[in-house]
Amino acid sequence: MRRIVLALGLALLSPLVAEFLLGDFPITSLHFLVVLAPTYGGATVLIREVARRAGLRWPSIVLMALAYGVFEEGIMTMSLFNPNYAGQRLLDEGFVPALGIGVPWTLFVLCLHTVWSISVPIALVEELAGEQRTTPWLGRAGLTVAAVLAVLGAAFNTVFSYQMSHFLASAPQLVAIVVIVVALVVAAFRLPRRTTPAAGAAPRPWLVLAVTLVGGLVFELMTLMPGKAPAWLSIVTLVAAEAGMAILALTWSARQGWGGAHRMALAGGALLTYVWHAFFTGTLVPSTPTLNLVSHIVFGLGAVALLALAARKAQREYSKV
C-alpha cells in the first residue's frame, strides 16, 4: 500500500510542479489535475518504474525525461513547430526555416520538461521513500495502469491542442520527432548501469544547492526580459546553463560520497527556481493579481515544505557517512 501511495504521490506531484508551481494555473484551477495527472503523472511514473525495474541510473532517467519533453512539445502540443502556439509567437526568436523551429524556445521548453516536469518530482518522492528509493513501487497491473493513463492523457491533449489551434506539423517533422524519441529511449537503456567512483570527493551539498540556484537564475534570465536580448545571446545563455549544470551533475555524482543530500540539493535548487520564477509570470487562464499572488505563495510554501521533508531525510543519511 505504501508503494502505491508513493506512485500516486508522484503522479500528482509531477503536474503540480510542471504547471501550478510554474505559475501557469492559479489555485482555483486544481480541478485541471484530472486532465494533467494522466499525462504528466502517468508518464513520470512510467519512466520511473521502467528505469528502476531495469536497474537504470539517473542519466538514463534524464534521457527518458528528455524523450518525453520532445514527444509532448513535438507531437502532443506541436509547440516546437507551431509559429503562433497559444498566440505567443514563440518561434519568432532564433527561427531556423530548414527545421521549422525556434532554437531558444526549443532549448527552453525541453529543459522545462526534462528537469522540472519529470526529474525533480522523481527525485523528491524517491528521497521520501527512504529504503524503497530505487525499488519498483508497482506490480505489472500498476505499471499497465500507468502506461494506459499516459497514453490516454497524451491522446486527449493531442486532440485538444489540435482543436485549439488547428495546426498540424509536417510529416517529416513528425517522423523526426518519433525517431528522436526512440533514439533517446534506446540510448537511455544503453548507458552503463554500474560505474566506478571517480577520484576525489563530492562537494558539500550546500555548494551544489548554491550552484544550482545560480544555474536556474541564468536559465530563467531570458524569460525575465523577453524580446530584449538578441537570439544569439538567448541561445548562448540557455546552452551555457543547461550544458554547464549537466556536466557538473555528471562529474559530481560520479565522485565518492555523493548521496541523498546532494540529490536533494540539485532537485531543491531547481524547485526553488520555479518558486521565485512564478512571481514573474502570468497564468494561462483568466485570473486576478491577488489570486495569482495567493496561488504563488501557497504553492511555493508547499514546495518548500516538501523539499524540507525530503532534505531532512537525505541529511540524516549524509550525516552517517
Side-chain angles (χ1 to χ4, degrees), residues 41-85:
T44 303
V45 171
L46 188 62
I47 288 172
R48 191 266 169 195
E49 289 298 301
V50 168
R52 294 314 184 190
R53 281 170 173 267
L56 302 181
R57 299 168 57 248
W58 262 105
S60 297
I61 292 176
V62 171
L63 278 183
M64 286 193 283
L66 175 58
Y68 169 81
V70 173
F71 183 80
E72 176 171 331
E73 301 301 330
I75 292 181
M76 288 167 57
T77 67
M78 300 188 195
S79 78
L80 295 182
F81 310 114
N82 189 341
N84 195 33
Y85 178 74

Side-chain angles (χ1 to χ4, degrees), residues 12-272:
L12 291 175
L13 182 61
S14 178
L16 282 172
V17 172
E19 298 291 352
F20 291 87
L21 185 62
L22 174 63
D24 284 348
F25 296 103
I27 197 169
T28 52
S29 297
L30 281 173
H31 56 279
F32 286 160
L33 283 175
V34 175
V35 176
L36 296 173
T39 308
Y40 284 110
T44 303
V45 171
L46 188 62
I47 288 172
R48 191 266 169 195
E49 289 298 301
V50 168
R52 294 314 184 190
R53 281 170 173 267
L56 302 181
R57 299 168 57 248
W58 262 105
S60 297
I61 292 176
V62 171
L63 278 183
M64 286 193 283
L66 175 58
Y68 169 81
V70 173
F71 183 80
E72 176 171 331
E73 301 301 330
I75 292 181
M76 288 167 57
T77 67
M78 300 188 195
S79 78
L80 295 182
F81 310 114
N82 189 341
N84 195 33
Y85 178 74
Q88 298 296 308
R89 305 296 304 179
L90 298 170
L91 308 187
D92 288 355
E93 184 181 8
F95 183 70
V96 180
L99 301 177
I101 65 172
V103 177
W105 170 247
T106 298
L107 291 171
F108 180 76
V109 74
L110 293 186
C111 186
L112 290 188
H113 288 304
T114 303
V115 176
W116 285 277
S117 300
I118 308 293
S119 299
V120 167
I122 291 177
L124 287 170
V125 178
E126 281 197 340
E127 215 57 48
L128 290 170
E131 295 180 354
Q132 297 176 326
R133 184 177 66 82
T134 59
T135 60
W137 296 335
L138 299 176
R140 291 184 179 179
L143 191 63
T144 300
V145 170
V148 170
L149 288 176
V151 171
L152 291 177
F156 175 85
N157 280 279
T158 301
V159 173
F160 178 79
S161 180
Y162 177 76
Q163 290 179 338
M164 291 293 291
S165 64
H166 296 287
F167 173 86
L168 184 64
S170 67
Q173 289 173 328
L174 295 175
V175 170
I177 290 298
V178 173
V179 170
I180 293 172
V181 169
V182 172
L184 287 170
V185 174
V186 170
F189 277 87
R190 298 222 170 175
L191 290 180
R193 305 189 185 191
R194 294 181 180 273
T195 60
T196 303
R204 304 286 290 184
W206 68 263
L207 179 59
V208 177
L209 175 61
V211 172
T212 305
L213 287 171
V214 172
L217 175 62
V218 174
F219 175 79
E220 297 288 2
L221 275 179
M222 295 302 102
T223 65
L224 299 179
M225 47 181 183
K228 297 181 181 179
W232 67 266
L233 181 58
S234 297
I235 294 171
V236 169
T237 301
L238 291 170
V239 170
E242 295 173 15
M245 287 306 305
I247 292 172
L248 285 176
L250 286 171
T251 302
W252 286 343
S253 62
R255 293 181 179 178
Q256 296 180 357
W258 181 270
H262 300 88
R263 290 189 294 270
M264 283 304 91
L266 273 176
L271 195 69
L272 294 176

